[in-house]
Amino acid sequence: MYQKGTLEMAVTWADSASKHGVPREDALWALTHFIYEERGFEVARPPATVAPDLYIGPQRSRTAPLLEVMLERHPPSSLWIFHVMALRPAFRARMNAAKITQKGRR
């Protein structure tokens, strides 16, 4: 179960989410304490029909690297997490570029 504020959602995990050895507890921590969120960050890859969301957040250990968590939302109340791993340079650059763009709009 994933909870953000008063919102609760059922969470299901793809086998691929465990591929990089990140504990589920760390993935959920990153998801609930994210520092970057990008909804629909890429088009859905068939057979999927839902554009995935990208979250970047910390693990429970403050010295551990940030995580990238990719998931599909299935309204009204479920998430399917299919990718979790240490943050790669390309996604760090994407996050930093988006934050710079946001600052420029203020």
Side-chain angles (χ1 to χ4, degrees):
M1 192 62 76
Y2 163 75
Q3 186 170 2
K4 181 83 170 171
T6 59
L7 177 66
E8 278 193 20
M9 303 188 106
V11 176
T12 55
W13 300 82
D15 290 341
S16 59
S18 301
K19 179 179 173 183
H20 300 285
V22 177
R24 289 182 176 184
E25 294 82 7
D26 283 330
L28 290 173
W29 186 266
L31 191 57
T32 57
H33 297 85
F34 67 86
I35 59 170
Y36 179 73
E37 169 190 40
E38 189 174 338
R39 299 262 180 115
F41 81 98
E42 65 179 27
V43 297
R45 297 180 191 174
T49 59
V50 176
D53 297 342
L54 168 66
Y55 288 84
I56 296 173
Q59 297 185 54
R60 293 171 296 165
S61 169
R62 292 183 181 194
T63 59
L66 292 172
L67 294 178
E68 55 187 59
V69 179
M70 297 177 195
L71 58 86
E72 291 180 3
R73 293 177 179 277
H74 295 276
S77 61
S78 70
L79 301 175
W80 181 63
I81 298 175
F82 63 89
H83 174 85
V84 180
M85 70 179 291
L87 182 61
R88 293 175 284 179
F91 285 110
R92 182 180 299 277
R94 183 182 187 118
M95 173 181 69
N96 290 339
K99 288 186 172 194
I100 289 168
T101 300
Q102 289 172 352
K103 279 186 177 181
R105 291 185 194 153
R106 291 182 188 170

